[in-house]
């Protein structure tokens, strides 16, 4: 497994502005014995630095360097798809997806309600003991409802019209008890969002919905002051039914790069 991430550049804006502004003042301060009236010249350099910083940031914004987008020009289905962050108002849609459309192709990851990422080991063991008594799906659903009511599950739902057809579990890396690999937590580069799970209804797979999830996660992370988004892909180029964390090709296509690796 590898940790693969993309660094968000929004946090550089303040740094670029400050450095560009202060550079002129420092430069002028070093040679103020040459200039007559150093204060006005220092102010001039400060303003010049600010103007240059704004110009560069504006050009970067126009070039799309700071924005994550996916191309839907050749995919008519994606024009009807919307990605929404999970809220209490979407609890019924979340349950409806896992009740009726998730894993309907017999995928071995099902049944599932994506509770494990936000559960500690003791809670998972306690939950598993109830499988034989109440059944796997019923038990998982009961725990999911409780966690949803307690706002312990975070991520995004994909909708085709009013029907939920996909799910991506993504949140602050610190919100995951034990699901994020330890080697990943030991190699953080600042305030980070982790993408830990995808599930898309079988009939909707192969339509860049997973890419749309990543784009939305990255854009929201940037707006909320995060410096990186990361995922945890398996080191395989072949399709793996248990690769619920997303294939490595998906992340590479979105511009992610490998930053750490775990052997075995």
């Amino acid at each position: 497994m590898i940790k693969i991430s993309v660094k968000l550049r929004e946090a550089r804006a303040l740094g670029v502005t400050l450095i560009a502004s202060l550079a002129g003042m420092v430069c002028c301060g070093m040679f103020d014995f040459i200039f007559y009236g150093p204060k006005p010249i220092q102010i001039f350099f400060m303003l010049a630095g600010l103007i240059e910083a704004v110009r560069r940031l504006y050009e970067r914004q126009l070039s799309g360097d700071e924005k994550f987008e996916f191309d839907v020009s050749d995919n008519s289905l994606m024009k009807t798809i919307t990605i929404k962050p999970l809220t209490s108002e979407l609890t019924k849609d979340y349950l409806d997806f896992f009740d009726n459309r998730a894993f309907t192709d017999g995928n071995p990851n099902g049944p599932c309600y994506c509770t494990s990422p936000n559960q500690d080991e003791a809670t998972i063991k306690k939950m598993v003991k109830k499988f034989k008594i109440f059944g796997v799906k019923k038990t998982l659903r009961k725990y999911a409802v409780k966690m949803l009511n307690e706002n312990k599950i975070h991520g995004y739902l994909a909708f085709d019209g009013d029907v939920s057809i996909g799910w991506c579990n993504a949140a602050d890396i610190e919100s995951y008890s034990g699901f994020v690999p330890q080697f990943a937590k030991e190699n953080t580069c600042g305030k980070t969002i982790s993408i830990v799970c995808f599930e898309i209804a079988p009939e909707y797979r192969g339509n860049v919905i997973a890419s749309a999830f990543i784009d939305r996660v990255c854009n929201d992370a940037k707006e909320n002051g995060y410096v990186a988004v990361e995922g945890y892909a398996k080191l395989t180029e072949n399709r793996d039914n248990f690769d619920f964390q997303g294939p490595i090709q998906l992340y590479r296509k979105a511009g992610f790069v490998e930053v750490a690796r775990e052997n075995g």
Side-chain angles (χ1 to χ4, degrees):
M1 177 182 288
I2 68 171
K3 165 178 166 171
I4 190 163
S5 72
V6 59
K7 292 185 178 180
L8 306 174
R9 291 179 287 273
E10 185 73 10
R12 297 186 311 185
L14 181 59
V16 170
T17 303
L18 290 175
I19 292 172
S21 302
L22 293 175
M25 296 184 69
V26 171
C27 180
C28 182
M30 292 173 63
F31 301 100
D32 62 1
F33 60 89
I34 298 175
F35 299 108
Y36 175 74
K39 291 299 181 183
I41 298 176
Q42 284 184 328
I43 293 173
F44 167 78
F45 273 105
M46 182 180 69
L47 291 175
L50 284 169
I51 292 170
E52 178 63 14
V54 170
R55 184 187 69 79
R56 292 189 181 187
L57 291 171
Y58 182 67
E59 286 181 350
R60 187 177 296 127
Q61 183 179 21
L62 289 179
S63 68
D65 186 48
E66 297 290 338
K67 189 172 180 60
F68 298 84
E69 296 179 336
F70 59 96
D71 183 11
V72 299
S73 58
D74 296 324
N75 193 320
S76 59
L77 173 63
M78 281 305 301
K79 295 177 182 178
T80 68
I81 301 297
T82 56
I83 308 295
K84 301 179 182 180
L86 180 63
T87 63
S88 57
E89 289 77 14
L90 298 180
T91 294
K92 290 183 179 180
D93 298 287
Y94 180 93
L95 296 172
D96 177 54
F97 171 65
F98 285 102
D99 284 344
N100 301 304
R101 283 173 291 283
F103 311 109
T104 53
D105 60 345
N107 186 295
N109 285 306
C112 178
Y113 284 82
C114 211
T115 57
S116 297
N118 298 99
Q119 292 175 309
D120 57 33
E121 187 175 351
T123 301
I124 293 175
K125 288 182 178 179
K126 182 179 178 180
M127 180 177 67
V128 170
K129 289 181 179 180
K130 297 181 180 180
F131 285 173
K132 291 183 179 181
I133 303 173
F134 303 106
V136 176
K137 189 166 186 175
K138 186 176 180 180
T139 301
L140 290 171
R141 192 182 195 279
K142 181 179 179 180
Y143 272 80
V145 169
K146 183 176 185 294
M147 292 175 69
L148 288 165
N149 290 336
E150 296 174 348
N151 194 33
K152 291 183 177 179
I153 298 178
H154 304 281
Y156 296 80
L157 284 168
F159 288 83
D160 184 359
D162 296 327
V163 180
S164 51
I165 51 87
W167 164 250
C168 173
N169 194 318
D172 190 295
I173 189 172
E174 299 300 331
S175 69
Y176 296 107
S177 301
F179 209 75
V180 172
Q182 186 59 35
F183 82 96
K185 289 188 175 182
E186 293 172 355
N187 291 278
T188 57
C189 57
K191 194 177 178 183
T192 301
I193 289 289
S194 293
I195 300 175
V196 301
C197 186
F198 294 93
E199 173 53 16
I200 298 168
E203 61 270 30
Y204 286 87
R205 292 174 190 161
N207 287 289
V208 302
I209 293 175
S211 294
F213 273 131
I214 290 180
D215 292 328
R216 179 60 187 270
V217 171
C218 289
N219 283 315
D220 283 359
K222 181 178 65 176
E223 290 181 5
N224 290 314
Y226 284 85
V227 299
V229 174
E230 63 184 39
Y232 315 102
K234 290 184 178 180
L235 283 168
T236 177
E237 299 293 334
N238 301 319
R239 178 176 174 77
D240 184 346
N241 285 328
F242 291 98
D243 196 8
F244 54 85
Q245 291 171 309
I248 191 169
Q249 301 95 321
L250 172 67
Y251 292 104
R252 286 173 176 167
K253 183 179 178 182
F256 284 54
V257 294
E258 180 181 342
V259 295
R261 179 178 298 203
E262 181 183 50
N263 295 325

